[in-house]
């Protein structure tokens, strides 16, 4: 016996979307006018020249690139407009249904998607103007096997993907998978790549990393498949762009993140190579901040300031561990992210010989150095440096480091604290990358926020987890998103 829920789904499946259901559910004359406009537009677009006809009239010198872009015909006023002007037309006229010139498929601006309606599909089974009359005379039987199959299996296409997808390990590629999953779950990057961001069909660069990432976003958000997929093109593009990445040896996820951000920046049209010039591209604004180094001469008080671009913060957790081992303050406590940030931005004494003061005749002087964040990025990556390499030994610091779900970065900036809205510096955790195992034989997995929930991505295995699971993880990389882009600090 059918449940109330299943009956509801069947009734929804009778129309392509709820907006179309409202349109066709109006009084008879209004509904018939819409169907007539649908058939009339369909027949008019049947003569729209195909891309294969371009070679027939070379004398017109049509540019294929612009010619292939579809036009959208409004079913209400019959005006043909471009994709870029479609939203403005709807806002001006309240007309929300269009037919595209290439596939003659129905588009609903309210859904921002193409919609399929089996009733309208029956109307355009014929290419003649009498199709509407034929449909009036010949009704499909409700008991028809075909009609029953369509009603039982059709439903509205979701506006967004349902669930999440893992990434197949292609041979020691877990370092790539965790960074890509982090990007795939970032709302800022989804808006860019699923909108009018990097367009592979317009890109002429060979082995473009930006194109490979755009393809990964398209694959991940495809509603056609639910199982995991392989980011093979991104792997190959990375190998070709960096000889040190080529091959199936284990790589560092932090170094791959830096590589990927740099290549995405380089793939943007109009980007500037020198970060000190202030590149206006999307990726530079999203990933790059500025770090200020201030050196104060202990003798004369002269201050030398230098601003450098930063793509992440590398926080030395080894310093805290050594202090605890020596019986310092907080010897029995767990190291914290805020403690690492405090150490990172605390003044540091420089011995004579390291710094030459220009105000003291260029002579070596003792000095005090301090790092502060001059400009924060929208996506802030923080590396908890668990790996230490010396001439004699390379080791990894195991153990938990406490980190919060939200953090205020104002105390670590150059901004005067008393004259600013602290809420403008709030960041929320978006993902946490974990490394398990030894330096040369480890494995990466990542926790990512999916809406209001958290998911654990271990290559192609996906598991729902709690906030407590995330906060208990031995994180290696932490990614935080600026809470409000509208009030982002400059």
């Amino acid at each position: 016996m059918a449940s109330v829920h299943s009956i509801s789904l069947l009734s929804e499946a009778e129309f392509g979307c709820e907006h179309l259901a409202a349109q066709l559910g109006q009084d008879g004359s209004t509904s018939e006018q819409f169907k007539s406009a649908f058939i009339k537009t369909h027949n008019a677009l049947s003569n729209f020249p195909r891309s294969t006809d371009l070679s027939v009239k070379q004398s017109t010198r049509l540019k294929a690139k612009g010619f292939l872009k579809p036009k959208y015909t409004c079913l209400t006023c019959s005006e043909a407009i471009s994709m870029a002007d479609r939203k403005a037309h709807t806002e001006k006229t309240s007309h929300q249904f269009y037919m595209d010139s290439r596939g003659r498929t129905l588009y609903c601006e309210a859904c921002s998607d193409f919609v399929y309606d089996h009733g309208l599909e029956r109307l355009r089974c014929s290419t003649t103007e009498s199709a509407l009359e034929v449909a009036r005379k010949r009704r499909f039987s409700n008991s028809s096997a075909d009609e029953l199959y369509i009603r039982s299996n059709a439903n509205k296409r979701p506006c967004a993907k349902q669930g999440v997808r893992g990434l197949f390990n292609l041979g020691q590629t877990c370092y790539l998978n965790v960074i890509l999953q982090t990007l795939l779950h970032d709302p800022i990057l989804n808006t860019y790549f699923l909108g009018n961001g990097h367009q592979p069909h317009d890109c002429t660069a060979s082995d473009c990393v930006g194109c490979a990432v755009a393809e990964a976003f398209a694959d991940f958000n495809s509603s056609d498949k639910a199982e995991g997929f392989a980011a093979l093109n991104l792997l190959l593009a990375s190998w070709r762009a960096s000889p040190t990445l080529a091959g199936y040896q284990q790589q560092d996820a932090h170094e791959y993140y830096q590589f990927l951000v740099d290549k995405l920046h380089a793939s943007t049209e109009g980007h500037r190579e020198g970060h000190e010039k202030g590149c206006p591209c999307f990726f530079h604004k999203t990933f790059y901040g500025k770090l200020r180094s201030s050196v104060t001469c202990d003798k004369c008080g002269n201050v030398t300031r230098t601003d450098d671009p930063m793509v992440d913060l590398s926080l030395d957790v080894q310093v805290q561990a050594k202090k605890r081992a020596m019986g310092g303050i907080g010897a029995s406590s767990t190291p914290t992210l805020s403690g690492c940030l405090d150490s990172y931005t605390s003044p540091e004494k420089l011995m004579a010989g390291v710094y030459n003061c220009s105000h003291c005749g260029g002579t070596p002087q003792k000095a005090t150095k301090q790092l502060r964040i001059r400009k924060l990025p929208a996506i802030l990556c923080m590396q908890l440096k668990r790996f230490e390499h010396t001439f004699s030994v390379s080791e990894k610091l195991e153990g938990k480091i406490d980190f919060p779900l939200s953090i205020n970065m104002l105390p670590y900036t150059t901004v005067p604290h008393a004259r600013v809205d602290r809420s403008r510096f709030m960041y929320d955790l978006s993902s946490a990358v974990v490394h398990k195992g030894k330096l040369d034989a480890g494995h990466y997995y990542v926790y990512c926020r999916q809406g209001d929930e958290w998911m654990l991505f271990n290559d192609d295995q996906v598991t729902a987890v709690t906030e407590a699971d995330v906060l208990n993880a031995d994180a290696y990389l932490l990614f935080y998103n600026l809470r409000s882009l509208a009030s982002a600090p400059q």
Side-chain angles (χ1 to χ4, degrees):
M1 181 176 180
S3 64
V4 174
H5 178 67
S6 63
I7 293 174
S8 174
L9 286 178
L10 287 177
S11 63
E12 288 183 351
E14 292 179 2
F15 302 102
C17 68
E18 62 270 26
H19 310 103
L20 188 59
Q23 178 71 33
L24 296 176
Q26 297 185 48
D27 60 87
S29 60
T30 304
S31 176
E32 293 302 317
Q33 287 176 3
F34 181 85
K35 294 176 182 177
S36 297
F38 179 88
I39 290 299
K40 182 178 179 180
T41 305
H42 175 273
N43 292 335
L45 291 176
S46 64
N47 296 322
F48 189 82
R50 303 296 178 185
S51 59
T52 53
D53 298 332
L54 287 175
S55 58
V56 178
K57 297 183 178 180
Q58 294 184 356
S59 59
T60 61
R61 296 187 176 275
L62 290 174
K63 294 184 178 180
K65 184 177 178 180
F67 182 79
L68 290 174
K69 292 183 178 179
K71 290 288 186 179
Y72 289 82
T73 301
C74 176
L75 295 187
T76 306
C77 64
S78 301
E79 182 178 351
I81 57 178
S82 66
M83 179 173 60
D85 298 329
R86 191 179 56 219
K87 182 178 179 181
H89 181 77
T90 296
E91 292 176 349
K92 180 180 178 181
T93 64
S94 298
H95 303 163
Q96 58 183 348
F97 294 103
Y98 304 85
M99 185 175 291
D100 86 294
S101 57
R102 291 190 298 192
R104 287 178 285 172
T105 49
L106 185 65
Y107 188 93
C108 175
E109 183 63 31
C111 293
S112 297
D113 205 351
F114 292 101
V115 293
Y116 171 86
D117 181 86
H118 65 269
L120 293 178
E121 287 300 311
R122 293 202 303 266
L123 292 183
R124 68 170 177 180
C125 61
S126 171
T127 57
T128 64
E129 285 289 333
S130 60
L132 187 58
E133 294 299 324
V134 173
R136 286 173 179 168
K137 295 178 181 179
R138 181 176 179 268
R139 299 283 297 177
F140 278 67
S141 170
N142 287 333
S143 60
S144 165
D146 290 341
E147 183 76 3
L148 182 62
Y149 178 82
I150 292 175
R151 286 178 175 270
S152 301
N153 291 277
N155 58 4
K156 291 188 299 183
R157 183 169 182 253
C159 294
K161 68 178 184 297
Q162 302 294 311
V164 290
R165 301 178 67 188
L167 290 164
F168 291 115
N169 194 315
L170 301 176
Q172 299 283 3
T173 59
C174 55
Y175 69 92
L176 180 150
N177 288 351
V178 294
I179 298 301
L180 181 55
Q181 285 286 11
T182 295
L183 303 188
L184 291 171
H185 284 84
D186 190 280
I188 301 174
L189 299 178
N190 269 277
T191 301
Y192 177 82
F193 281 107
L194 300 182
N196 293 320
H198 191 90
Q199 299 294 334
H201 58 269
D202 288 335
C203 183
T204 58
S206 58
D207 300 321
C208 176
V209 172
C211 291
V213 173
E215 180 187 84
F217 269 86
D219 287 344
F220 184 80
N221 289 280
S222 172
S223 62
D224 297 333
K225 297 180 180 179
E227 70 274 9
F229 69 100
L232 179 59
N233 285 347
L234 178 58
L235 179 65
L236 295 177
S238 300
W239 284 4
R240 294 185 180 110
S242 174
T244 58
L245 291 175
Y248 292 101
Q249 65 271 22
Q250 179 66 267
Q251 301 289 345
D252 182 75
H254 176 237
E255 293 178 357
Y256 185 72
Y257 171 74
Q258 293 176 322
F259 159 83
L260 199 56
V261 168
D262 181 65
K263 292 302 177 184
L264 286 173
H265 168 256
S267 70
T268 308
E269 185 177 355
H271 75 280
R272 296 175 184 169
E273 293 294 342
H275 294 287
E276 67 280 355
K277 298 178 182 178
C279 179
C281 84
F282 167 83
F283 293 111
H284 194 275
K285 293 179 179 179
T286 302
F287 291 111
Y288 287 91
K290 287 183 180 179
L291 193 64
R292 170 164 291 180
S293 172
S294 301
V295 181
T296 305
C297 177
D298 289 352
K299 181 179 180 180
C300 70
N302 175 54
V303 181
T304 303
R305 296 183 178 91
T306 306
D307 289 350
D308 295 305
M310 73 169 199
V311 72
D312 55 57
L313 295 175
S314 292
L315 307 177
D316 194 345
V317 296
Q318 298 277 0
V319 173
Q320 289 198 49
K322 290 173 182 177
K323 287 181 178 179
R324 294 196 314 277
M326 295 172 63
I329 299 175
S332 60
S333 63
T334 302
T336 64
L337 178 63
S338 59
C340 292
L341 287 167
D342 288 337
S343 297
Y344 187 80
T345 56
S346 295
E348 173 190 359
K349 290 294 183 180
L350 300 179
M351 299 305 295
V354 177
Y355 170 73
N356 295 329
C357 180
S358 59
H359 280 213
C360 295
T363 58
Q365 299 292 337
K366 293 183 180 180
T368 302
K369 179 182 179 181
Q370 186 174 25
L371 295 176
R372 288 275 173 174
I373 302 172
R374 176 68 180 85
K375 183 177 182 296
L376 284 160
I379 299 175
L380 177 60
C381 171
M382 289 188 270
Q383 178 205 24
L384 304 177
K385 294 172 64 176
R386 292 180 174 273
F387 307 116
E388 185 176 45
H389 302 280
T390 64
F391 290 107
S392 58
V393 66
S394 294
E395 59 181 357
K396 176 189 173 186
L397 174 67
E398 300 285 357
K400 189 178 183 308
I401 300 165
D402 282 341
F403 56 91
L405 288 173
S406 299
I407 187 170
N408 193 309
M409 293 298 295
L410 177 60
Y412 315 109
T413 68
T414 59
V415 179
H417 300 176
R419 293 179 292 173
V420 71
D421 181 5
R422 294 178 61 87
S423 64
R424 294 171 53 213
F425 296 82
M426 286 301 300
Y427 281 76
D428 297 312
L429 183 69
S430 59
S431 68
V433 174
V434 178
H435 179 272
K436 284 294 183 183
K438 300 179 181 179
L439 290 174
D440 56 351
H443 178 66
Y444 289 102
Y445 54 86
V446 61
Y447 296 91
C448 293
R449 186 191 293 273
Q450 173 75 12
D452 294 329
E453 300 178 343
W454 284 92
M455 297 288 174
L456 168 60
F457 294 88
N458 188 350
D459 289 333
D460 59 314
Q461 301 299 313
V462 183
T463 309
V465 295
T466 64
E467 285 185 354
D469 294 326
V470 179
L471 296 177
N472 286 326
D474 296 344
Y476 171 52
L477 298 176
L478 296 171
F479 291 87
Y480 285 86
N481 275 41
L482 187 61
R483 181 174 296 178
S484 175
L485 292 177
S487 59
Q490 299 299 318

